[in-house]
Amino acid sequence: VQLQASGGGLVQAGGSLRLSCAASGLTFNTYTIAWFRQAPGKEREFTAHIVWNGGSTYYADSVKGRFTISRDNAKNTVYLQMNGLKPEDTALYYCAARRSYSPFPNEYDYWGQGTLVTVSS
């Protein structure tokens, strides 16, 4: 199983980025996919998740209204559209897969390698 996160970069405050998580080696349309992020010196925190068919999504309060998670099961890919970025969004962003939703990173079965998002003020 492989999850490949991409799309990170350097952006000014107020800008946008779209992250992608491409999966292989698993039955993608049976998995919930979540994004977590980890800022320097902080613990990994839940950001957003989307269930297997895209029928339900959930966001951390800190990103609600600014981030949108979506998936394309035909492409085995999940996206995280991030608008209105703030300096406090700076972190390594990871995608993870699990059969059902959990807010706890240690309960996820598979992880991508992380993609760095840096937001300058």
Side-chain angles (χ1 to χ4, degrees), residues 21-74:
C21 175
S24 60
L26 76 170
T27 308
F28 184 73
N29 62 4
T30 66
Y31 279 82
T32 287
I33 304 296
W35 287 95
F36 290 81
R37 65 185 185 182
Q38 188 165 17
K42 295 188 177 181
E43 293 188 352
R44 196 168 296 190
E45 64 175 13
F46 169 79
T47 303
H49 91 269
I50 187 166
V51 299
W52 66 277
N53 64 352
S56 176
T57 59
Y58 189 77
Y59 300 90
D61 287 344
S62 57
V63 306
K64 202 172 295 182
R66 299 187 297 123
F67 291 11
T68 302
I69 190 171
S70 61
R71 68 190 295 159
D72 184 342
N73 284 347

Side-chain angles (χ1 to χ4, degrees), residues 6 10 18 25 35 45 66 92-93 115:
S6 63
L10 173 63
R18 188 177 82 156
W35 287 95
E45 64 175 13
R66 299 187 297 123
L92 264 172
Y93 283 73
T115 185

